[in-house]
Amino acid sequence: MNIAVFVSGNGTNLEAIIDAVSRDEIKAKIALVVSDNKDAYALERAKKAGIDTFILSSKGFKKREDYDKEIIKELEKKNIQLIVLAGFMRLMSGYFVKKYKHKIMNIHPALLPSFKGTHSIKDAFEYGVKKTGVTVHFVDEELDHGSIILQESVDVDENDTLDTLEEKIHKVEHKLYPEAIKLFTENKLKIEDRKVKIKD
Ligand code: GAR
């Protein structure tokens, strides 16, 4: 199975996925890394691993769909069957989401449906929750809304700072995302209504 990983920033999740593929835990190929940001450190990680990259700034595109159509051309060239959003800080168009229905995953650093958006770790920390966590979900037309594949909670201790909480969340992300991708590539995810069942 050919996977594309979409990134905008650091790429620690990309790295965790690269590692899981190279350990043969995920039996698939990361055929492409897509970035909307030419300066994303994730691109360095991709190059180091010998993975092809496609960089497309959204500047100059009037419609979200037009941008996504350019990306789809590249995905089709590489026969991509799973799209993994790993810190990709752009909303996909309805067109894109429909075309790859139940074939796009995202990782979110909170227990959805709590703390949607782009500053979830900070929002949860400042809210004073005792537990937060990580969600891997399919992407649908609404922000941080699609069917949940895996979730794991993280305790917020009294002596945690935002930095230590971030560290704990990232550690869980780097374990949970490869697990979810592995399940998908083994065809073990079954969607009923909006519930994802995991087959044995
Ligand atoms: C991750 O923590 C991911 O959950 C978050 O961006 C970070 C990317 O880190 N995504 C979102 O907040 C999406 N709403 P990385 O570039 O090191 O993988």
Side-chain angles (χ1 to χ4, degrees):
M1 181 179 291
N2 283 345
I3 300 176
V5 182
F6 284 36
V7 297
S8 298
N10 190 355
T12 62
N13 280 285
L14 167 66
E15 187 89 51
I17 299 161
I18 292 173
D19 289 349
V21 170
S22 65
R23 285 195 304 266
D24 217 23
E25 281 166 26
I26 299 173
K27 293 189 181 15
K29 180 182 176 191
I30 307 171
L32 189 66
V33 166
V34 174
S35 178
D36 61 335
N37 170 15
K38 67 175 179 28
D39 299 321
Y41 185 66
L43 291 167
E44 299 299 318
R45 299 181 195 266
K47 276 177 207 145
K48 221 170 121 199
I51 302 167
D52 288 348
T53 58
F54 178 65
I55 305 162
L56 188 64
S57 159
S58 57
K59 278 195 196 115
F61 287 94
K62 287 209 185 80
K63 282 184 10 209
R64 203 170 280 282
E65 198 174 307
D66 294 340
Y67 176 86
D68 288 356
K69 279 181 175 162
E70 288 303 310
I71 291 182
I72 289 169
K73 280 186 205 158
E74 299 301 313
L75 300 179
E76 286 180 339
K77 276 187 214 160
K78 300 263 181 195
N79 190 22
I80 298 296
Q81 290 137 299
L82 172 66
I83 292 149
V84 172
L85 308 184
F88 187 64
M89 292 308 189
R90 262 185 74 77
L91 261 182
M92 309 311 300
S93 63
Y95 177 83
F96 188 94
V97 171
K98 272 195 198 84
K99 186 164 173 72
Y100 290 97
K101 190 172 159 72
H102 294 147
K103 289 186 179 136
I104 314 166
M105 279 186 190
N106 183 41
I107 190 155
H108 186 76
L111 291 176
L112 290 174
S114 292
F115 303 108
K116 296 179 177 183
T118 48
H119 307 101
S120 317
I121 306 178
K122 186 166 181 275
D123 293 347
F125 181 72
E126 287 176 354
Y127 194 88
V129 296
K130 305 281 184 184
K131 278 186 193 292
T132 178
V134 174
T135 305
V136 180
H137 63 95
F138 284 115
V139 171
D140 68 8
E141 275 98 337
E142 283 178 56
L143 177 71
D144 298 332
H145 174 270
S147 297
I148 292 171
I149 301 165
L150 292 176
Q151 277 187 313
E152 189 166 316
S153 65
V154 170
D155 289 335
V156 186
D157 301 321
E158 276 175 17
N159 53 5
D160 265 325
T161 61
L162 180 57
D163 281 348
T164 61
L165 180 60
E166 272 174 359
E167 232 173 84
K168 290 201 276 189
I169 298 258
H170 291 318
K171 200 165 167 222
V172 172
E173 288 189 325
H174 300 157
K175 179 177 73 76
L176 210 64
Y177 218 0
E179 262 177 51
I181 295 165
K182 179 178 162 67
L183 288 168
F184 184 96
T185 57
E186 292 173 352
N187 198 22
K188 288 194 174 158
L189 301 177
K190 194 162 171 259
I191 302 150
E192 287 174 14
D193 301 324
R194 64 162 280 124
K195 298 195 183 79
V196 178
K197 305 232 165 115
I198 297 170
K199 294 190 264 177
D200 289 330

